[in-house]
Amino acid sequence: MADYVAGTEVKDLKIVNLYDVEEEAREIIPEAGYGYIRSGAGDEFTLRRNITCFNSKGILPRVIGDVEHPDTSTSFLGKDYSAPFFYAPIAALGIAHEEKEIGMAKAFNEFGTAFSISSYAGSSWDEMAPSYEGYEDRPRYFQLYMSKNHDFNEAMLNEAKDFGCQAIILTADSTVEGNRELNKRNHFTYPFGMPIVERYLAGSGEGMALKDVYASSKQKISPKDIEYIKSICDLPVMLKGVQTPEDALKGIGAGADVIYVSNHGGRQLDGAPGSFETLEAIAQAVQGEVPIVFDSGIRRGEHVFKALAAGADVVGIGRPALYGLALGGHKGVLSVLNYLKDDLTRIMQLTGCQTIEDIKNARLTDLPAYNEAELRHHGY
């Protein structure tokens, strides 16, 4: 849409915390676009719970751990990461900044970790290609929203493989649009096209409504779809949207190479628990048979630490990276990633963890529920 103006500045950010970054981004992103990014489904209980539920577990300080200059590097699916987080796929990044997916990919490549490309990206494969110049070996993943049209699915999967994507993220929790009331109030439509999928979508292009996008989505996702994807492109499949041990085990039985624990950032089923609340039971069921990815609610180094200690191998960063993009383009995203890395490094030092493997072996403690309103009353 010609009158939609997202961020344009490219600059480093001075970050105190990521909640401030979100508030600053509110001033930059047009109202309807900001509402699309920030909002969740229904009463937004699950959206809020994604962050507050981290308070149910405590981190135990370890003071004679013989630790100095903790190392945040790790590996995932055979690729080295500078820190245990990657970009959790989000659609149409032009909503936040004119650099779109190009800027986001550039930032994650420079940082030394992985970028995930959404089926509903606002950039074409050709537009994203320059982001990988000099970073040809950087991992990249493709998030597949399965279509009812199998010819379309096959075309997208082959294009993703040709682009160098090294894994497919099967998003299984978005077969219909969540009840995102703020989008309805704002009459939100995608202000730009979606080059990867628009040739297959009715009413595609600028001003496309969410209902038009989801109208082409396949509703019947089954274990056979995991087998189908692997038969087409022979790439590892991450099953995204898992919230129960039963689905995790069923996915592994069908050939899923990674279990991706997520509730879509609270954007799909409201009333579900926070994503972190489901992680430990899933990890106990999986028993290390395949790696586990986690997202939803990560805002601090403590959150990353708790997710890894509860069973995740790496975590996805979504909204905070998008807010960084809005404020400073690829440099703003790098500022967010460096903030999280520095914050995690501090937590590692204070907990006696020299390596990411040490975090995975760390023990969390259950914390009693507390009354946040009462704490505020006392000035905390």
Side-chain angles (χ1 to χ4, degrees):
M1 298 174 67
D3 58 348
Y4 189 97
V5 181
T8 58
E9 282 195 272
V10 177
K11 63 181 182 181
D12 298 322
L13 307 179
K14 295 180 179 179
I15 299 178
V16 174
N17 66 55
L18 294 181
Y19 303 105
D20 291 348
V21 173
E22 177 176 345
E23 287 305 308
E24 292 168 18
R26 182 198 293 264
E27 304 301 318
I28 298 295
I29 306 171
E31 181 180 3
Y34 176 79
Y36 167 77
I37 296 167
R38 185 214 65 78
S39 64
D43 293 328
E44 299 189 338
F45 167 84
T46 301
L47 174 72
R48 295 187 300 273
R49 188 80 177 179
N50 275 339
I51 297 175
T52 60
C53 73
F54 282 106
N55 295 329
S56 66
K57 293 286 187 178
I59 302 172
L60 295 170
R62 299 298 297 273
V63 297
I64 52 172
D66 196 25
V67 169
E68 185 178 26
H69 306 304
D71 180 8
T72 64
S73 66
T74 190
S75 63
F76 180 70
L77 293 182
K79 292 292 185 177
D80 292 334
Y81 277 39
S82 62
F85 31 86
F86 73 104
Y87 183 64
I90 297 177
L93 304 190
I95 292 169
H97 194 278
E98 65 179 8
E99 286 190 341
K100 304 188 292 184
E101 286 76 10
I102 298 93
M104 190 70 80
K106 182 177 181 180
F108 276 80
N109 287 338
E110 186 173 332
F111 181 72
T113 181
F115 175 64
S116 301
I117 302 162
S118 173
S119 297
Y120 301 149
S123 306
S124 68
W125 299 113
D126 287 343
E127 287 174 323
M128 286 183 279
S131 301
Y132 289 89
E133 292 176 0
Y135 299 106
E136 287 80 8
D137 291 336
R138 286 284 190 267
R140 67 205 78 166
Y141 313 132
F142 180 63
Q143 180 206 28
L144 175 68
Y145 282 94
M146 288 202 78
S147 169
K148 297 183 179 79
N149 184 329
H150 280 291
D151 290 338
F152 176 26
N153 291 326
E154 184 171 342
M156 281 197 298
L157 289 168
N158 285 326
E159 288 173 2
K161 187 171 183 178
D162 289 344
F163 188 72
C165 292
Q166 293 145 357
I168 303 300
I169 302 172
L170 170 59
T171 296
D173 62 356
S174 297
T175 52
V176 295
E177 180 189 353
N179 181 27
R180 304 174 199 171
E181 296 176 359
L182 191 56
N183 288 339
K184 297 173 184 176
R185 292 192 184 97
N186 289 335
H187 305 288
F188 174 79
T189 60
Y190 287 107
F192 310 105
M194 296 179 177
I196 293 175
V197 298
E198 63 185 14
R199 63 193 184 277
Y200 294 96
L201 298 179
S204 63
E206 297 180 7
M208 183 166 42
L210 285 172
K211 63 180 177 62
D212 298 322
V213 176
Y214 281 98
S216 70
S217 295
K218 182 180 181 183
Q219 275 74 56
K220 288 186 69 174
I221 302 292
S222 78
K224 291 182 179 179
D225 290 306
I226 297 172
E227 300 168 9
Y228 165 76
I229 291 168
K230 299 185 78 166
S231 73
I232 297 298
C233 63
D234 192 29
L235 290 174
V237 174
M238 305 187 204
L239 180 60
K240 182 176 186 288
V242 176
Q243 291 284 279
T244 66
E246 294 85 353
D247 277 348
L249 295 177
K250 185 182 291 187
I252 293 171
D257 301 275
V258 177
I259 293 301
Y260 193 148
V261 177
S262 170
N263 59 30
H264 217 90
R267 297 164 68 80
Q268 285 300 102
L269 177 63
D270 196 36
S275 193
F276 178 68
E277 292 175 288
T278 71
L279 174 59
E280 189 171 16
I282 292 170
Q284 289 172 353
V286 170
Q287 287 291 304
E289 186 172 349
V290 300
I292 293 176
V293 169
F294 169 87
D295 78 20
S296 300
I298 298 286
R299 297 296 184 273
R300 293 190 179 276
E302 290 92 341
H303 298 162
V304 177
F305 186 100
K306 290 179 182 182
L308 298 178
D313 291 281
V314 294
V315 303
I317 308 301
R319 288 183 179 99
L322 195 50
Y323 295 138
L325 184 73
L327 292 170
H330 67 274
K331 289 187 176 181
V333 178
L334 269 172
S335 297
V336 168
L337 295 176
N338 285 322
Y339 162 82
L340 276 173
K341 181 179 178 180
D342 291 345
D343 207 24
L344 178 61
T345 301
R346 174 171 42 249
I347 306 307
M348 292 173 70
Q349 180 68 50
L350 295 173
T351 56
C353 292
Q354 184 68 49
T355 67
I356 297 303
E357 200 61 32
D358 291 338
I359 300 177
K360 294 178 183 179
N361 292 320
R363 179 168 57 90
L364 301 176
T365 185
D366 293 330
L367 295 178
Y370 65 93
N371 188 318
E372 292 190 32
E374 183 70 11
L375 288 176
R376 287 194 295 271
H377 175 73
H378 290 289
Y380 294 99

